[in-house]
Amino acid sequence: MIHLRAIEPEDLDLLYTIENDRDLWNVGTTNVPYSRYVLHDYIAQSSGDIYTDRQVRLIIELGGDHDSAQPTTVGIVDLVNFDPRNRRAEVSIVIQKPFRRKGYAREALAQLADYAHAVLHLHQLYAIVDTENTISASLFKTSGYTANIPLKDWLYDGENYHDATLYLKKIEKR
């Protein structure tokens, strides 16, 4: 249904749109707009080596559709806070609005877990989700993550603190 690939310079517009979407700032750690220049540099300077960068950003693509052979970009999935010593990393995912609630996020998380297990030899993946974000909580639960730790006043939206939950997944070959 979907596949994951490395970020390319041609993804600059997608990255710019996602990173500057204020609706997403309350579910992540971004709270300032990013310029095209900064994002261009990020893409250009990324080594593509998770051991060097301590993160990897992958583009989620839907294979060629009926009208064209070109793949359709669905979203982005990241491994951040990579900890090779303890063999774990944090997961974040953004699906573009027209493609939400179609199973693409769940499939992307499954493929990411396979990659993390088979290639990176990770033991755990985790995500921090605002307790009010029931859609993301449901996604992680149905993707095999367990709600493990409540985090009181963990996220701040500029006006209010929000509780969050740490979702944890022990990864194994599927």
Side-chain angles (χ1 to χ4, degrees):
M1 196 159 62
I2 58 107
H3 69 275
L4 306 179
R5 66 162 175 81
I7 196 165
E8 298 284 352
E10 295 78 17
D11 298 313
L12 178 60
D13 288 338
L14 170 71
L15 196 58
Y16 182 81
T17 299
I18 288 174
E19 293 292 353
N20 290 297
D21 182 345
R22 288 179 176 256
D23 291 339
L24 299 174
W25 289 2
N26 289 341
V27 297
T29 57
T30 299
N31 61 2
V32 296
Y34 284 94
S35 70
R36 286 184 189 280
Y37 178 79
V38 167
L39 294 172
H40 178 272
D41 270 5
Y42 165 77
I43 293 170
Q45 308 238 347
S46 176
S47 73
D49 179 4
I50 194 169
Y51 291 91
T52 300
D53 298 338
R54 293 291 191 240
Q55 65 177 351
V56 64
R57 175 164 272 181
L58 300 169
I59 301 298
I60 306 165
E61 283 188 343
L62 183 59
D65 57 338
H66 300 296
D67 299 329
S68 75
Q70 289 295 98
T72 302
T73 302
V74 172
I76 297 176
V77 64
D78 301 320
L79 285 178
V80 297
N81 298 323
F82 173 62
D83 180 350
R85 181 174 187 266
N86 294 299
R87 299 178 46 220
R88 67 174 160 250
E90 182 177 356
V91 176
S92 67
I93 187 166
V94 175
I95 301 295
Q96 296 187 88
K97 287 179 185 175
F99 303 103
R100 291 180 184 163
R101 306 202 73 146
K102 298 180 189 247
Y104 302 136
R106 191 169 13 269
E107 179 59 26
L109 289 177
Q111 287 186 28
L112 186 70
D114 288 347
Y115 168 75
H117 174 76
V119 177
L120 302 176
H121 309 292
L122 295 184
H123 173 64
Q124 295 174 321
L125 296 176
Y126 67 94
I128 297 172
V129 178
D130 187 319
T131 55
E132 296 173 16
N133 188 343
T134 57
I135 293 171
S136 289
S138 176
L139 167 66
F140 283 101
K141 285 178 191 173
T142 60
S143 297
Y145 288 71
T146 304
N148 276 5
I149 301 171
L151 303 167
K152 185 77 175 156
D153 292 341
W154 196 258
L155 303 171
Y156 183 64
D157 68 9
E159 294 180 17
N160 300 300
Y161 287 94
H162 297 263
D163 294 347
T165 302
L166 184 135
Y167 286 85
L168 184 65
K169 177 178 180 132
K170 180 180 174 187
I171 55 174
E172 303 166 333
K173 186 172 175 67
R174 53 168 176 161

